[in-house]
């Protein structure tokens, strides 16, 4: 196999940038993991310079002799043109459109670049699992530094987008303040707006809710598993251990954090009855195991779909699943996109051809 048969794949998240080589026959190899160029890792740099460093990092991920690259990018972007509209985890509140695909083609014109949103990439890999080949529609929700979702119609192999080339930016939908919090001002999202779903249900959102809980009742917090763990302990590890042990404080915290997301999923299932499965993925889901799914199901069971929840009590449990690490990998999804799957219409609006190899056994 020559390098012309391999695809350079990159997954850019809010905190990490992973790169590797991929082919359908050999899977991933030469994996490298490092920090993403972002306002978090370079807080003193202007966004324009952070973007330039991002382009440099993506170009450096494509070795000499490799002529195709698939990029999974954690941002709201136009899937028809490769223009990035915004990415709160990467660029904060900065929303000036950036032609990332054009910048990559200009910097490395010998490379055939394929750019997709990271949620779309994860969805493409999840949909390739053989046991999903009979589904009508698959919805993937990532809960990590940010929150977003994508729906794939497996009958056509397409991810539908709107007139701006977008779909599923649920993290920035307005959210009601979770009932468990009581009277409180709307939390601020990383994008700079108050009261978004991501302000409560994302990784940073859960941490902010924890800080609010501690400030409201410091004595109870100090007596909980969080207080006993000490200031040096990892918040994520402490939360997982506390949930495993059945901590009431941890259970209430997670219930509050997941309530806005549950409201979105309930609405999605109500409006689109062809959603046969909703897959949860992302750093928060991996870190907390089945606790996120359990908390969401508690909300959906307590207030489900009108009539459907009564006539089919397990309607939510049958549809809501959790992926394990490696089952919805944006790196592999980026490879699939570069390998020939077209998840959205072309720039001129031409619908893509169905992609029968979606159901293939890709590694």
């Amino acid at each position: 196999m020559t390098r012309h048969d391999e695809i350079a794949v990159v997954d850019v998240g809010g905190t990490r940038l992973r790169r590797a080589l991929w082919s359908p026959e050999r899977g991933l190899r030469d994996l490298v993991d490092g920090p993403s160029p972002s306002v978090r890792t370079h807080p003193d740099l202007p966004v324009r310079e952070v973007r330039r460093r991002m382009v440099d990092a993506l170009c450096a991920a494509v070795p000499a002799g490799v002529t195709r690259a698939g990029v999974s990018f954690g941002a709201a972007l136009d899937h028809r043109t490769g223009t990035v509209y915004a990415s709160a985890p990467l660029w904060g509140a900065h929303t000036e459109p950036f032609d990332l695909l054009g910048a990559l083609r200009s910097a490395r014109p010998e490379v055939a670049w394929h750019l997709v949103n990271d949620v779309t990439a994860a969805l493409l890999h999840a949909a390739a699992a053989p046991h999903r080949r009979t589904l009508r529609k698959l919805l993937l929700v990532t809960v990590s530094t940010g929150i977003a979702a994508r729906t794939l119609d497996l009958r056509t192999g397409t991810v539908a987008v709107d007139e701006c080339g977008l779909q599923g930016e649920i993290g920035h939908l307005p959210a009601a303040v979770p009932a468990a919090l009581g009277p409180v001002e709307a939390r601020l999202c990383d994008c700079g707006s108050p009261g978004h779903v991501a302000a409560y249900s994302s990784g940073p959102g859960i941490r902010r809710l924890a800080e609010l809980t501690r400030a409201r009742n410091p004595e109870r917090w100090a007596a909980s598993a969080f207080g006993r763990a000490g200031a040096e302990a990892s918040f994520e590890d402490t939360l997982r251990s506390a949930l495993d042990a059945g901590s009431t404080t941890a259970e209430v915290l997670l219930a509050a954090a997941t309530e806005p997301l549950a409201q979105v999923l309930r609405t999605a299932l109500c409006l689109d009855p062809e959603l046969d499965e909703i897959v949860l993925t992302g750093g928060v889901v991996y870190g907390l195991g089945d606790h996120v799914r359990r908390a969401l199901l508690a909300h959906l069971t307590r207030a489900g779909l009108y009539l459907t929840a009564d006539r089919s009590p397990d309607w939510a449990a049958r549809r809501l699943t959790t992926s394990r690490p490696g089952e919805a990998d944006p790196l592999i999804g980026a490879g699939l996109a570069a390998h020939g799957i077209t998840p959205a219409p072309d720039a001129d609006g031409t619908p893509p051809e169905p992609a029968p190899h979606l159901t293939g056994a890709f590694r």
Side-chain angles (χ1 to χ4, degrees), residues 24 28 51 60 87 99 111 113 125 131 140 158 200 211 215 236 247 253 259 261 264 267 288 291 345 356:
L28 292 173
R51 288 173 166 176
S87 175
D99 183 7
V111 177
W113 293 95
H125 184 215
H131 70 276
L140 183 137
T158 57
Y200 302 98
E211 293 169 354
E236 290 77 10
S247 163
L253 173 62
E259 185 178 340
L261 181 56
V264 174
T267 302
L288 298 183
H291 292 295

Side-chain angles (χ1 to χ4, degrees), residues 117-257:
N117 174 273
D118 60 341
V119 188
T120 298
L123 175 59
L124 292 177
H125 184 215
H131 70 276
R132 293 192 171 108
R133 66 181 61 191
T134 60
L135 300 183
R136 293 171 296 178
K137 292 183 180 179
L138 177 68
L139 170 64
L140 183 137
V141 179
T142 182
V143 186
S144 190
T145 308
I147 294 178
R150 293 292 184 276
T151 299
L152 172 72
D153 190 327
L154 280 89
R155 296 164 297 190
T156 61
T158 57
V159 174
V161 294
D162 64 17
E163 62 193 46
C164 297
L166 296 168
Q167 190 221 121
E169 296 298 332
I170 63 173
H172 300 289
L173 291 176
V177 174
L181 295 182
V184 63
E185 291 185 4
R187 299 288 90 187
L188 198 65
C189 180
D190 282 347
C191 73
S193 298
H196 287 179
V197 171
Y200 302 98
S201 302
S202 67
I206 297 174
R207 182 183 286 273
R208 285 192 290 264
L209 290 186
E211 293 169 354
L212 175 63
T213 302
R214 178 175 57 187
R216 282 188 161 187
N217 199 327
E219 293 181 358
R220 178 178 295 177
W221 183 268
S224 72
F226 299 97
R228 294 193 300 272
E232 300 301 320
S234 162
F235 171 75
E236 290 77 10
D237 292 343
T238 302
L239 177 57
R240 173 63 184 267
S241 298
L243 290 168
D244 289 343
S247 163
T248 300
T249 301
E251 294 283 356
V252 171
L253 173 62
L254 188 61

